Amino acid sequence: CLDNKEKVHEFGSSWRTEDCNDCSCSKSGIGCCTSYMRPVNYDEEKCESIFNKETCSYKVVEKDDHSKECPVHSWVG
């Protein structure tokens, strides 16, 4: 398989992209999906979600104090 960066991957292989997508190569081609869950049900007036590209995850914190996490009631991925 040839990915969008022109890198060749063997059939049966899998990898994580720099954009935090999990991909795999099969004889039918390349399939990719996000490797993370996105927060969708939290207090958006008081809190904000911050994506950490190194861990491929979101953290939801208070806008005025990033050391305080906010409760998240639903995640989608």
Side-chain angles (χ1 to χ4, degrees), residues 34-62:
T34 59
S35 64
Y36 53 88
M37 301 290 278
R38 189 170 46 85
V40 292
N41 189 358
Y42 62 92
D43 184 347
E44 292 186 35
E45 287 185 26
K46 180 181 175 184
C47 306
E48 64 183 330
S49 64
I50 299 172
F51 188 71
N52 182 333
K53 205 169 186 179
E54 289 182 23
T55 62
C56 294
S57 63
Y58 278 96
K59 189 174 188 178
V60 180
V61 294
E62 290 185 7

Side-chain angles (χ1 to χ4, degrees), residues 3-47:
D3 68 17
N4 61 354
K5 301 249 187 239
E6 308 240 349
K7 184 175 178 186
V8 176
H9 298 272
E10 292 183 21
F11 291 134
S13 66
S14 59
W15 64 97
R16 179 165 285 172
T17 68
E18 62 187 28
D19 296 330
C20 294
N21 289 310
D22 287 334
C23 299
S24 60
C25 170
S26 69
K27 291 187 179 184
S28 59
I30 292 178
C32 296
C33 60
T34 59
S35 64
Y36 53 88
M37 301 290 278
R38 189 170 46 85
V40 292
N41 189 358
Y42 62 92
D43 184 347
E44 292 186 35
E45 287 185 26
K46 180 181 175 184
C47 306

